[in-house]
Amino acid sequence: MGHVYYHHPGDKQFSLDFVHPDPGEIVSQIVDYDNDVAVKVQAYDIDEEFYVIYTSRVGGGPVREIDFNLNESLAKMSEDNSTIVVRLLEIYRALIAQNEEEEGVPVEAYKKIDVDALPDVLDRTSWEGSATAVAGRLASNLILKHALPNANHRTAVALVQFYLRRLNPNFSMPQTSIEVDPETYDWREWVNEYINKSKRLLTIRRKNVLFKHLYRFGARTLERKHAVEIDLTAYELDMYPSEAKIVYAEQHEDLWIEFVEEAVERAGYPDLKETPGLSKAEFAEKIRNLD
């Protein structure tokens, strides 16, 4: 009862963008989209009949073929930001390559890499406090900025490991994917639980007003791809989008700090919760010393 799909059930590249009970309003909305937006419409009938428009940007192509002028972007950044961004892109590319090796097919991009947005991730992060707090904020901000097509969460987890290793080279985040054996499986399940919570918060944060309408039409559960369900009764939907952005960003940051704290406990390095974090300048310097 009251079940609506966030991604179109027939094509997961399409996500929910507009909802209305009047077919005329649906047609008006479709006419307003730019030419590079593909559209699918789905009818639902819960407490009343309504229509959902699902949209997708056309023509992504494989991630590894995305063309951008990295040197031009780096030239606009501070030295510390450019040092960290280059390393971050290396981590991201390695994850995409690993993913392609596992799946045997190229990873399709649904948008471009927004390299120019990455310094903002670093500038918005508060680098004060414990190592786990800084690592958690970094991960949260990277995911919130959503500058990478695909693998934002996996890149954030890898960035946490990379940052904490600059303080303790022995720290290691257990495998979060690939083979399922008893030792890594618990880790994979546990990390996925955090990632799913993160995706729920991100989805609500982006489209709370839309979901408020869905709730009014009788929807109670929203299903994302990979069977991630969002219980609409568990979230406050009735706020201005600007307020929702702040409230859910704070919850998202808390979630990722909690993730890092639990990660260091499980990995046997609880002292990292008390260790002062590296500042951005110190982190960049340690990266330069690696090269």
Side-chain angles (χ1 to χ4, degrees):
M1 262 303 278
H3 195 87
V4 172
Y5 291 98
Y6 181 74
H7 295 96
H8 191 278
D11 189 338
K12 302 295 189 242
Q13 292 290 328
F14 286 75
S15 59
L16 191 151
D17 189 66
F18 186 78
V19 56
H20 210 281
D22 181 353
E25 290 293 332
I26 293 292
V27 172
S28 298
Q29 179 68 20
I30 290 170
V31 170
D32 281 347
Y33 285 120
D34 293 335
N35 291 337
D36 66 341
V37 176
V39 173
K40 289 181 187 285
V41 178
Q42 181 95 0
Y44 289 92
D45 194 346
I46 304 175
D47 287 355
E48 62 177 289
E49 189 172 32
F50 61 95
Y51 301 88
V52 169
I53 297 178
Y54 294 90
T55 59
S56 175
R57 293 271 162 195
V58 179
V63 169
R64 58 181 152 74
E65 290 175 15
I66 292 176
D67 193 28
F68 57 91
N69 191 330
L70 182 57
N71 289 337
E72 196 177 291
S73 294
L74 293 175
K76 293 182 242 169
M77 300 177 199
S78 70
E79 189 187 358
D80 288 344
N81 279 353
S82 67
T83 298
I84 298 168
V85 164
V86 167
R87 186 58 57 142
L88 181 60
L89 289 172
E90 283 174 12
I91 291 169
Y92 171 67
R93 284 192 175 119
L95 282 170
I96 292 294
Q98 180 192 357
N99 192 299
E100 294 193 345
E101 201 174 306
E102 288 167 28
E103 304 291 331
V105 291
V107 176
E108 287 292 313
Y110 56 87
K111 64 185 196 111
K112 296 200 179 305
I113 298 173
D114 190 356
V115 180
D116 294 327
L118 291 172
D120 197 40
V121 171
L122 308 175
D123 294 339
R124 279 171 181 259
T125 299
S126 166
W127 297 78
E128 307 286 317
S130 69
T132 47
V134 175
R137 287 187 211 116
L138 260 179
S140 173
N141 284 332
L142 178 63
I143 294 163
L144 286 175
K145 184 50 78 174
H146 210 250
L148 307 169
N150 317 79
N152 281 275
H153 282 86
R154 285 176 72 175
T155 306
V157 171
L159 179 62
V160 166
Q161 173 173 280
F162 182 77
Y163 177 83
L164 294 177
R165 274 189 176 167
R166 307 292 66 82
L167 286 156
N168 185 332
N170 297 320
F171 175 78
S172 186
M173 195 84 74
Q175 290 292 323
T176 57
S177 64
I178 332 179
E179 80 288 344
V180 177
D181 70 58
E183 285 189 38
T184 62
Y185 192 66
D186 173 46
W187 267 99
R188 181 169 123 156
E189 287 295 284
W190 171 76
V191 172
N192 281 348
E193 193 54 43
Y194 274 96
I195 289 173
N196 289 343
K197 282 183 188 172
S198 176
K199 286 179 177 175
R200 290 185 189 106
L201 284 172
L202 293 175
T203 309
I204 296 284
R205 178 178 182 263
R206 255 197 322 267
K207 297 189 175 173
N208 70 299
V209 175
L210 208 53
F211 301 156
K212 188 175 83 168
H213 295 316
L214 285 176
Y215 194 92
R216 203 176 78 229
F217 301 143
R220 294 296 177 266
T221 310
L222 200 62
E223 185 179 329
R224 285 179 53 104
K225 56 187 164 191
H226 310 308
V228 176
E229 292 198 350
I230 300 173
D231 176 4
L232 293 178
T233 67
Y235 298 90
E236 176 55 58
L237 302 175
D238 191 13
M239 31 177 146
Y240 289 111
S242 54
E243 187 190 353
K245 278 196 161 39
I246 294 165
V247 167
Y248 289 114
E250 286 171 355
Q251 290 185 25
H252 190 258
E253 183 172 285
D254 291 344
L255 175 73
W256 281 94
I257 291 173
E258 184 190 314
F259 164 75
V260 180
E261 287 177 347
E262 196 170 338
V264 300
E265 284 279 355
R266 285 178 172 241
Y269 299 100
D271 53 304
L272 284 167
K273 290 195 286 187
E274 313 302 326
T275 306
L278 294 168
S279 69
K280 182 166 70 170
E282 289 167 338
F283 184 39
E285 188 55 34
K286 285 194 177 283
I287 293 172
R288 282 192 282 271
N289 289 339
L290 286 174
D291 296 337

